[in-house]
Amino acid sequence: MAKKEVSMEDIYSQRPWLKNYDKHVSPNLSYEDKTFCQLFKEAVAAYPDKPALIYLGKTLSFKDLDVLSNQLANYLIRNGAKAGEVIGLNMPNIPAHFIAVIAVQKANCISTGLSPLLTTPELIHQINDCGAKIVLTVDVLYEKLYEAAPKTNLKTILVSSVADFLPPVKAILGKLLKKIPQAEVKPIAGVRVEKFMSAVRSMPKTAVEGSKGMDEVMYMMYTGGTTGPAKGAQLTQKNVIYNGKQIVTWCDITPADTFLCAFPLFHIAGLALGTVSLTYGITQIAVPNPRDTKFLIEAIKTYKPTAMVNVTTIFLELMKLPEFRALDFSGIRWFMTAAQPFPVENIREFESIIGPNKLLELYGMTETSPVTCCLPRYGKKKAGSIGMPFPDTMFKLVDPETGKLAALGEPGEIAISGYQVMKGYYNQPEETAHAIRDGWMYTGDIAKMDEDGYFYIVDRLKDMVIVSGFKVFTRELDDVLCEHPDIAMAASFGVPDPERAGSERVAVAVVLKPGIAKDDAEKEKIIAFLRSKVAPYKVPKRIIFMDQLPTSGVGKILKRELRQMVTQNQI
């Protein structure tokens, strides 16, 4: 019998990844149309006295969060928050932030994360773009809001403190010994500025029942704005809650789990995991400073988490510390990394520390609520792969130049269809129409798929460098560079070629390992190494030694900043 030929169109529609799903994962899940508020209410009823949040030794139960969020929701409503309005949350992972996430939903409003790393003009843009009139912040971040407020329509700012919810003696001593940061909170003309704790305590504990529907917007999270001002991705209750069900099913999460997540709630990854913990009755250890590796090590020792989620750079920093290597990881079921690839050459070493088959790399983006693809929880993990699409999620790879489907093993832009895909960008119909076409979210990420349905990120479409018509995928080049024994970290990127209009040159920023000289001899050594590994057009024309690479608030290397630094002759 002749073998049936499979057309290119069938490569992705046949979903070859399904044969590699873990046994406990179905290709299609059963979802309940219950909103965040309904699911949180059920978690409170089932686990009223269970720790929902562990913060610097202080424990807040699910019942505590319920009561406090009722009080905050009452405050928001009494201070003019209308259903469907956006409220800004400008805080690290402190109790006030978790309480606010819940309260905003109870008040039928929409929350948006305001990153502490935003410049004042960026902060003004985001507040004005989403129309926020109420913002919650922390005293150590207040100065930027003080500067931004006169150029916005802000009416109310609630100011929390890192010391909030700590025992009085610990809070006082912490401030006196300057272990707890604090800052002056100055009045702003025409804006109500109040302390978070005073505002909450002045309100009744009367239950506030959110009444949003599944298709109403829950979160408005802003993208990085690499192609202009940041855009607000509108994520509905269905987007977020259904994706939460997918995450819980895929990772085999149970209420017995305890999460240690350094991703902040103002980032979509931290917000997604925080949403899961609050709606599934899971304890979360709050991490106020995601870069504090000593805190993370002590938290593992003290609170015995069962799952740990971090950006790759934090895991790489932890690997350098003897105290981390000496920990007992037998109780941690899985480690998850997102936002940046885990270098293949470091995975084996990391697993020698934490135990085999525990590292899950995933793929997600703000516009998809966020997770769409992940390595299997128990099954085969291929180094360098982001895994396979979630249940009820379709991937296809499209040649960005021709619009045709990429052949098996060939690179193409990832397009995604599934419950996770956002409603659209807020007030950006043209941008939405460009991103979402015929129900598919075009991501701007270039990937390949192997015969088993595992996907591999090759590059960002905008990070792909065109050298005299040849495509250079910088992710692949970065992986090769990190194989060099002298290199601790590397990021390759494109800069305009002054000799060829419309063409680019490859440049690379390198952080060397301690003790390696930053001289021309080392550059020649790196170039010789690359010439033996990659095609001539991929070899960088410029190597820049740096003490550290620019990163985002969650540790993601910012190649756009490197490009800007070169074009502006800053490096």
Side-chain angles (χ1 to χ4, degrees):
M1 187 174 179
K3 185 178 179 182
K4 181 183 177 182
E5 287 191 9
V6 178
S7 68
M8 282 181 59
E9 286 75 17
D10 287 331
I11 293 174
Y12 307 105
S13 64
Q14 288 193 352
R15 299 190 288 174
W17 51 83
L18 294 182
K19 63 180 181 285
N20 293 301
Y21 268 20
D22 285 329
K23 291 180 180 179
H24 74 281
V25 180
S26 170
N28 304 101
L29 303 182
S30 175
Y31 303 88
E32 289 185 296
D33 280 338
K34 292 182 178 178
T35 65
F36 173 89
C37 288
Q38 289 171 320
L39 291 172
F40 177 69
K41 184 177 181 179
E42 289 180 2
V44 173
Y47 313 104
D49 300 317
K50 181 182 179 180
L53 197 64
I54 299 172
Y55 175 71
L56 301 179
K58 168 74 174 179
T59 296
L60 293 171
S61 69
F62 277 90
K63 186 177 180 181
D64 292 333
L65 291 189
D66 187 37
V67 171
L68 289 161
S69 61
N70 282 333
Q71 291 177 287
L72 179 56
N74 278 309
Y75 177 90
L76 295 175
I77 293 167
R78 292 190 183 193
N79 281 276
K82 301 289 190 297
E85 284 190 359
V86 179
I87 294 175
L89 305 182
N90 176 229
M91 296 172 281
N93 285 10
I94 59 177
H97 203 156
F98 288 86
I99 293 163
V101 167
I102 306 165
V104 169
Q105 295 308 310
K106 287 184 173 183
N108 291 322
C109 294
I110 299 163
S111 66
T112 187
L114 296 168
S115 169
L117 294 182
L118 292 175
T119 63
T120 302
E122 289 170 334
L123 190 61
I124 292 168
H125 163 73
Q126 188 169 331
I127 291 171
N128 286 337
D129 187 70
C130 69
K133 295 176 183 175
I134 301 174
V135 167
L136 285 80
T137 189
V138 64
D139 52 7
V140 291
L141 300 178
Y142 180 77
E143 184 63 28
K144 279 186 188 175
L145 272 172
Y146 176 80
E147 295 171 0
K151 298 180 181 179
T152 70
N153 290 318
L154 280 178
K155 302 299 180 189
T156 301
I157 300 176
L158 280 185
V159 186
S160 55
S161 164
V162 175
D164 287 351
F165 297 98
L166 294 182
V169 174
K170 190 172 184 178
I172 292 169
L173 286 175
K175 289 178 179 179
L176 288 174
L177 297 173
K178 296 185 177 179
K179 290 185 177 181
I180 294 177
Q182 52 188 328
E184 181 185 3
V185 176
K186 298 174 284 190
I188 303 172
V191 179
R192 180 200 302 268
V193 179
E194 289 191 64
K195 288 185 177 180
F196 174 86
M197 294 299 281
S198 299
V200 169
R201 285 170 177 162
S202 69
M203 289 292 115
K205 299 176 181 179
T206 312
V208 183
E209 304 279 353
S211 58
K212 279 184 180 178
M214 293 300 290
D215 293 322
E216 292 187 69
V217 178
M218 181 175 175
Y219 301 137
M220 189 186 297
M221 299 299 286
Y222 277 70
T223 65
T226 55
T227 58
K231 304 178 288 290
Q234 299 176 96
L235 306 178
T236 67
Q237 294 270 340
K238 181 176 284 187
N239 291 151
V240 176
I241 299 304
Y242 279 28
N243 192 220
K245 175 65 179 286
Q246 293 167 338
I247 294 168
V248 167
T249 302
W250 191 269
C251 295
D252 201 10
I253 293 168
T254 74
D257 277 309
T258 297
F259 292 159
L260 175 59
C261 175
F263 273 102
L265 288 169
F266 56 77
H267 184 279
I268 188 63
L271 186 61
L273 207 74
T275 302
V276 166
S277 68
L278 292 170
T279 52
Y280 282 85
I282 296 160
T283 302
Q284 183 161 345
I285 303 160
V287 181
N289 178 4
R291 296 174 183 268
D292 189 343
T293 52
K294 290 184 178 178
F295 176 93
L296 294 173
I297 290 168
E298 286 304 312
I300 293 170
K301 283 183 185 176
T302 306
Y303 304 116
K304 306 290 190 290
T306 60
M308 187 171 180
V309 183
N310 256 321
V311 71
T312 299
T313 47
I314 299 298
F315 282 134
L316 295 176
E317 287 301 311
L318 286 167
M319 284 169 60
K320 298 175 184 177
L321 304 176
E323 305 96 313
F324 179 75
R325 290 173 171 267
L327 291 171
D328 176 9
F329 294 107
S330 60
I332 303 184
R333 301 167 62 221
W334 48 269
F335 293 74
M336 182 176 282
T337 181
Q340 185 183 345
F342 206 110
V344 173
E345 65 278 2
N346 294 119
I347 291 175
R348 188 176 291 108
E349 181 186 359
F350 187 63
E351 291 200 324
S352 73
I353 299 168
I354 64 168
N357 211 41
K358 285 186 176 184
L359 179 63
L360 304 180
E361 286 202 71
L362 63 77
Y363 175 77
M365 60 190 302
T366 303
E367 292 90 336
T368 57
S369 310
V371 189
T372 53
C373 188
C374 189
L375 287 170
R377 166 71 182 84
Y378 300 105
K380 185 176 182 179
K381 296 173 177 62
K382 298 188 180 187
S385 172
I386 55 171
M388 59 196 90
F390 267 0
D392 304 298
T393 306
M394 284 296 298
F395 268 43
K396 65 180 180 181
L397 303 181
V398 181
D399 186 316
E401 294 178 358
T402 66
K404 295 180 179 178
L405 291 176
L408 182 65
E410 293 299 315
E413 180 181 2
I414 299 174
I416 303 169
S417 174
Y419 293 123
Q420 308 96 310
V421 175
M422 67 174 179
K423 178 180 179 179
Y425 295 117
Y426 180 64
N427 281 345
Q428 297 274 1
E430 290 184 5
E431 292 282 357
T432 300
H434 175 72
I436 304 175
R437 292 169 246 160
D438 297 322
W440 291 85
M441 175 77 208
Y442 284 76
T443 66
D445 288 314
I446 304 294
K448 297 178 183 179
M449 185 185 79
D450 68 17
E451 65 279 2
D452 293 323
Y454 283 70
F455 286 80
Y456 302 78
I457 295 292
V458 176
D459 216 340
R460 280 287 300 167
L461 188 58
K462 294 178 179 64
D463 286 339
M464 184 174 67
V465 183
I466 306 295
V467 179
S468 299
F470 292 99
K471 296 175 183 176
V472 179
F473 297 110
T474 59
R475 162 73 195 280
E476 290 181 333
L477 189 57
D478 293 347
D479 286 345
V480 174
L481 282 160
C482 287
E483 293 174 9
H484 193 287
D486 296 348
I487 294 176
M489 194 175 294
S492 52
F493 54 99
V495 293
D497 187 337
E499 297 178 4
R500 290 188 179 93
S503 185
E504 295 176 289
R505 290 179 173 179
V506 179
V508 60
V510 171
V511 177
L512 295 170
K513 290 180 179 177
I516 306 296
K518 303 174 184 175
D519 55 23
D520 288 341
E522 183 62 30
K523 289 182 181 180
E524 288 300 323
K525 189 175 175 182
I526 293 170
I527 289 172
F529 173 81
L530 287 174
R531 282 177 179 153
S532 70
K533 297 279 188 177
V534 301
Y537 64 87
K538 297 181 181 179
V539 176
K541 297 294 184 184
R542 183 173 179 189
I543 295 176
I544 304 156
F545 293 132
M546 301 182 73
D547 293 329
Q548 60 183 32
L549 302 180
T551 58
S552 69
V554 295
K556 186 177 182 178
I557 296 171
L558 300 174
K559 292 190 176 185
R560 68 179 183 273
E561 288 198 9
L562 289 169
R563 276 193 294 272
Q564 186 177 2
M565 291 163 78
V566 169
T567 55
Q568 295 180 356
N569 296 315
Q570 295 174 354
I571 54 175

